[in-house]
Amino acid sequence: MKPTPFDYSAPRSVPEALALLADEDREPKVVAGGQSLVPMLSMRLARPGLLVDITRIPELGALTVDACGALHIGAAVRQARVAADPRVRADWPLLAAAIGHIGHPQIRARGTVCGSLVHHDPAAELPTAALALDARFVVAGPAGTRTVRAQDFFVATFQTAVEPDELLTEVVLPPRTGGWAFEELARRHGDFATVGVAVLLDRGHGTPEPPGVVTGARAVFCGVGSVPVRLPAVEAALTGTDVGPAALDAARDAALDGLTPADDIHASATYRRESAAHLLVRACTTAWERTR
Ligand SMILES: Cc1cc2nc3c(=O)[nH]c(=O)nc-3n(C[C@H](O)[C@H](O)[C@H](O)COP(=O)(O)OP(=O)(O)OC[C@H]3O[C@@H](n4cnc5c(N)ncnc54)[C@H](O)[C@@H]3O)c2cc1C
């Protein structure tokens, strides 16, 4: 099948892009890497009258670390560039690892980090990594610019806090230390995750916590609901422990209790829940090792 006819525009500034997105009559749509949108056009699941290509806007191509140590990823920055960046590999290795699970090199060479976040496939790796890393989303629109926290950004399957006349201009990740792991189960290498989990653990190194125990934990799952699922009960089960067998059992039980995936054509709910709990144990063990 071929896409329905559309106009194409490549603005050179954010205000120019927003002016094009305000043209409701043409039902405009942003295109970044095109790795999700172009297949949707070809299948006629999307029928925009105008594509607004944001990859020629210089300010959206920036990948920077600010004075506070936060990582800023502009909307035109490709996934492969982020995963290969030495600053990302050193200080946000969870992000680089999550990108490594996306499709194939050709996809990552074109697809953008921000495009994956706005597209928000519930089986995608980057929304889960963004929630685990406590990302902030900078959204520009007709009323100005606003910042949205990760827990408010992902609304439902293929739906985020970004409105049709708005543009996600960058995603910001705060500085991060500690142990990490990203584990996923996929039917074939390069497929979307059947289920996946991102775990971040901090190890105490002195008072008031005795050294050698978890002082902070984050556990976020993908493929188990319409949005990335963070489970505070899992985090509580790990906090204050040395991630020994009893803590891992408690974390796994909390995941089995807290996750409520649905059956679909790819996997049963039971398979997803049990696989996710299994991956969690593996991820916690790896993340704890990496705190040393
Ligand atoms: C064969 C194949 C395998 C893949 N495998 C995986 C996988 O395993 N895991 C995975 O997570 N993804 C996978 N993908 C999807 C890939 O990661 C896409 O690159 C990503 O989902 C979308 O990024 P993009 O830059 O290509 O966005 P586009 O396709 O250009 O846009 C996607 C959507 O987001 C909107 N959009 C994009 N950027 C912005 C912005 N800045 N502001 C507002 N709206 C915006 C567009 O309007 C569109 O609705 C795969 C894709 C293919 C073709």
Side-chain angles (χ1 to χ4, degrees), residues 21 28-40 54 60 75-79 98 101-104 107-108 110-121 123-127 162-163 166-170 184 190-193:
L21 291 174
K29 222 159 176 27
V30 171
V31 62
Q35 298 303 294
S36 295
L37 183 59
V38 171
M40 289 174 69
I54 58 167
L60 301 186
V77 179
R78 316 278 180 184
Q79 295 159 4
H101 284 283
I102 296 175
H104 307 283
I107 310 299
R108 302 192 291 266
R110 298 294 305 171
T112 63
V113 167
C114 287
S116 175
L117 295 169
V118 180
H119 184 62
H120 185 218
D121 188 309
E125 290 82 1
L126 288 179
V162 180
E163 299 292 340
E166 291 184 316
L167 188 63
L168 174 64
T169 57
E170 64 172 0
E184 85 167 39
D191 280 1
F192 279 87

Side-chain angles (χ1 to χ4, degrees), residues 4-48:
T4 50
F6 55 82
D7 294 330
Y8 170 88
S9 187
R12 302 296 161 135
S13 71
V14 169
E16 208 187 319
L18 292 175
L20 290 163
L21 291 174
D23 184 357
E24 279 178 32
D25 292 342
R26 289 205 282 176
E27 296 183 36
K29 222 159 176 27
V30 171
V31 62
Q35 298 303 294
S36 295
L37 183 59
V38 171
M40 289 174 69
L41 295 177
S42 296
M43 290 184 276
R44 299 200 174 186
L45 294 171
R47 297 166 177 242

Side-chain angles (χ1 to χ4, degrees), residues 156-202:
T157 301
F158 301 129
Q159 194 187 344
T160 68
V162 180
E163 299 292 340
D165 59 355
E166 291 184 316
L167 188 63
L168 174 64
T169 57
E170 64 172 0
V171 62
V172 184
L173 301 181
R176 165 81 219 156
T177 57
W180 63 277
F182 191 98
E183 294 281 348
E184 85 167 39
L185 175 72
R187 288 193 67 182
R188 295 171 306 186
H189 174 71
D191 280 1
F192 279 87
T194 304
V195 288
V197 63
V199 169
L200 293 168
L201 296 178
D202 297 315

